[in-house]
Each structure stands twice: as structure tokens, then as C-alpha cells.
Amino acid sequence: ADAPEFVPGAGAHAVAGGEPARPARMVMRVENVGRLVLNAPLLAEMPAPVKASETSVRVSSVASVLDGRKPEASAGSGLPPVCQYLLRVKTAAEADALLKALGEALRPK
């Protein structure tokens, strides 16, 4: 069976479409409260998200000026720090739909 279409804003996870000058963003809010807990840009240079388990998706992000973090080198490696997010959903179909939406948002336009 095909995964249902991921509808941004319909649940706790959303992928907000970006304009040409602004990248798409990954936004997550606390359910029923609406408090913002994640607001990170989705950049074409990011590694592709992967399905970490049946009901979770892992997204890796490199710190950048766009997301408000200082792109300082991490632990003497000379490379900017990497952040990983593990997004959990209730069903495998929701995980597939989220993975698809993130993949489409990361594709160069």
C-alpha cells in the first residue's frame, strides 16, 4: 500500500516549502501545545534522510549561519559540527511519507 501524502502542519512534524532565496525548513511543534521545538533549514548540501526504524527518520544537518548556530570547527577536525535529528512518528506509513517529503524538500530546484 502507498504511504499517505504527508500534509505539512497536520501533525507534530512539518516541512515548510521555501522560496528560491530561502531554503525549506524542518519545523516541529509539541502536540496540543504548539510550542516550537525544532526549526532547522533543509539545505541541498545535507545528506539524504534515512529511515532509522519502521517508525523513525534520521536527518543529519551541518551547523550553518542560516539556522542560527555558529559554524565553528568541531573538536579540532576543522569541519563544522553535525547535528542529527531522530523524528519518530506513529506508523510506518507516516515515516515513509515524512521521508518522501524531506527528500523532495532537499532536492535542488
Side-chain angles (χ1 to χ4, degrees):
D2 289 335
E5 181 177 321
F6 185 77
V7 179
H13 305 89
V15 177
E19 299 167 7
R22 300 176 61 187
R25 301 192 74 81
M26 182 171 48
V27 176
M28 184 171 57
R29 295 182 177 273
V30 176
E31 199 169 7
N32 297 327
V33 176
R35 183 173 52 96
L36 185 67
V37 293
L38 175 65
N39 184 3
L42 295 172
L43 306 172
E45 301 83 23
M46 292 172 59
V50 295
K51 196 166 180 185
S53 72
E54 191 170 311
T55 58
S56 62
V57 174
R58 178 168 308 159
V59 180
S60 297
S61 171
V62 176
S64 75
V65 175
L66 291 172
D67 60 4
R69 293 178 285 164
K70 293 181 181 179
E72 298 170 357
S74 59
S77 69
L79 300 172
V82 174
C83 291
Q84 290 192 4
Y85 304 102
L86 184 65
L87 307 174
R88 293 184 345 181
V89 294
K90 291 182 181 179
T91 67
E94 288 175 339
D96 291 336
L98 178 59
L99 187 63
K100 180 181 175 188
L102 288 168
E104 288 173 359
L106 286 171
R107 256 189 235 127
K109 299 194 171 27

